């Protein structure tokens, strides 16, 4: 399976001029000088997609902690007390616009963080 995925991969060619074998001495020198002009940190080599994936993951995990967790006395994150929604149907408008159409929760909690006895 890995060989099947690796077969269509081709090398990254930034400049196809170096593939020619019939360069004159001056053309070869020009290509070397042109290659020296490239910086070590080139934007073409920067892995944009993994960085975007990392940033989105960081944003959504942070949002989860800010929305559903709180800091305890020791500085760790614990879940807030949880309530069930009043209605069992979830309107589509509440899904697309949660700030405009907030979902109402019941008054009673179905889960709270158990209190830890103080350490001796």
């Amino acid at each position: 399976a890995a060989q099947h995925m690796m077969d269509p991969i081709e090398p990254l060619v930034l400049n196809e001029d170096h593939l020619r074998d019939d360069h004159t001495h001056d053309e070869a020198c020009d290509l070397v000088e042109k290659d020296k002009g490239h910086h070590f940190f080139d934007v073409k080599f920067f892995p944009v997609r993994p960085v975007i994936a990392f940033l989105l993951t960081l944003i959504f995990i942070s949002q989860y902690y800010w929305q559903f967790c709180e800091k305890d006395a020791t500085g760790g994150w614990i879940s807030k007390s949880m309530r069930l929604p009043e209605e069992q149907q979830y309107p589509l408008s509440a899904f697309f616009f949660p700030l405009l159409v907030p979902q109402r929760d019941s008054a009673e909690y179905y889960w709270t963080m158990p209190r830890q006895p103080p350490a001796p």
Side-chain angles (χ1 to χ4, degrees):
Q3 185 66 32
H4 176 70
M5 290 187 290
M6 298 297 286
D7 281 341
I9 295 178
E10 297 177 4
L12 176 65
V13 178
L14 297 177
N15 184 0
E16 294 186 10
D17 286 341
H18 73 279
L19 297 177
R20 291 186 17 225
D21 290 333
D22 59 342
H23 289 289
T24 64
H25 181 70
D26 291 336
E27 288 175 339
C29 289
D30 289 341
L31 284 174
V32 169
E33 289 299 321
K34 183 179 177 185
D35 194 41
K36 285 183 182 178
H38 289 125
H39 296 280
F40 176 74
F41 183 75
D42 195 357
V43 178
K44 294 177 189 174
F45 295 119
F46 189 70
V48 175
R49 289 173 60 183
V51 171
I52 290 173
F54 174 77
L55 290 175
L56 286 175
T57 302
L58 183 69
I59 289 169
F60 288 119
I61 289 175
S62 300
Q63 179 198 11
Y64 173 83
Y65 276 95
W66 284 322
Q67 189 173 359
F68 297 110
C69 299
E70 56 191 17
K71 285 204 172 218
D72 65 354
T74 63
W77 290 93
I78 59 170
S79 178
K80 292 180 180 177
S81 299
M82 303 296 289
R83 298 178 187 189
L84 291 172
E86 279 186 0
E87 300 173 3
Q88 291 186 359
Q89 292 185 358
Y90 192 70
L92 196 57
S93 58
F95 176 75
F96 286 113
F97 308 106
L99 298 176
L100 298 176
V101 186
Q103 191 174 9
R104 293 187 308 239
D105 294 333
S106 64
E108 153 183 345
Y109 293 107
Y110 75 89
W111 184 88
T112 56
M113 181 69 181
R115 297 289 174 212
Q116 298 289 332

